[in-house]
Amino acid sequence: MFLNTGTGAGVHDWVASDNRATHNNNFCPGSETGLPFTLTGLGILIAGGQHIVLRDNTVRANQPSGPTTTLNGVALAGGIVVVSTANISVFSDGFMGSDAARNTIVDNTVKDNHPFDLVYDKLGTGNRFRHNECNTSNPPGLCPGDSGD
């Protein structure tokens, strides 16, 4: 998880490659994690991160086991999720995060995740999804041949 909490310099300039994120199905409510959202069924999360590269990772079969949090119109669940934290104060200290921007999600295998393999709230700029092996996405079109049906 790459999470910009709005404190310090933020989360940027990381590379995550050759990782496996599978069957992350546990239900972790915010009351237990200290976060303002629930974590369940989540493979890899970029929340407000910038200049993050996800390459050659395997993200499979992550499915929520309880109610998911919706942030910026998308569920915080699925394979690889890229969302903005600009409108939330992660630790209730008044500091806001940032839009997820200039991230590259490339050459990953992302399959059998629910509700989608790739999720993007479309609030950041310069985020690129390229050459990923996946079947479903929100918004449609991030996966080859995915029309959103």
Side-chain angles (χ1 to χ4, degrees):
M1 175 168 47
F2 299 92
L3 174 63
N4 184 351
T5 63
T7 60
V11 177
H12 55 85
D13 300 317
W14 283 86
V15 175
S17 62
D18 299 311
N19 296 289
R20 295 182 57 81
T22 60
H23 301 283
N24 290 327
N25 304 333
N26 290 341
F27 181 75
C28 304
S31 60
E32 292 179 14
T33 64
L35 297 171
F37 44 78
T38 295
L39 296 174
T40 183
L42 185 59
I44 299 175
L45 173 65
I46 297 176
Q50 299 182 356
H51 297 278
I52 308 294
V53 176
L54 302 180
R55 178 187 307 274
D56 295 320
N57 296 289
T58 300
V59 184
R60 288 185 174 268
N62 298 287
Q63 314 241 342
S65 60
T68 61
T69 298
T70 299
L71 182 63
N72 306 321
V74 299
L76 289 184
I80 297 175
V81 179
V82 180
V83 295
S84 169
T85 57
N87 60 351
I88 63 169
S89 178
V90 176
F91 294 115
S92 301
D93 54 11
F95 294 105
M96 306 306 259
S98 64
D99 286 338
R102 296 171 298 287
N103 298 298
T104 302
I105 294 82
V106 62
D107 294 329
N108 298 286
T109 300
V110 192
K111 292 198 167 184
D112 304 319
N113 299 284
H114 186 76
F116 298 98
D117 292 326
L118 297 177
V119 178
Y120 174 41
D121 66 7
K122 301 188 294 182
L123 294 179
T125 59
N127 293 301
R128 297 180 302 160
F129 296 81
R130 301 282 188 265
H131 310 291
N132 295 293
E133 185 180 334
C134 56
N135 294 319
T136 61
S137 67
N138 181 19
L142 300 178
C143 296
D146 173 27
S147 64
D149 298 331

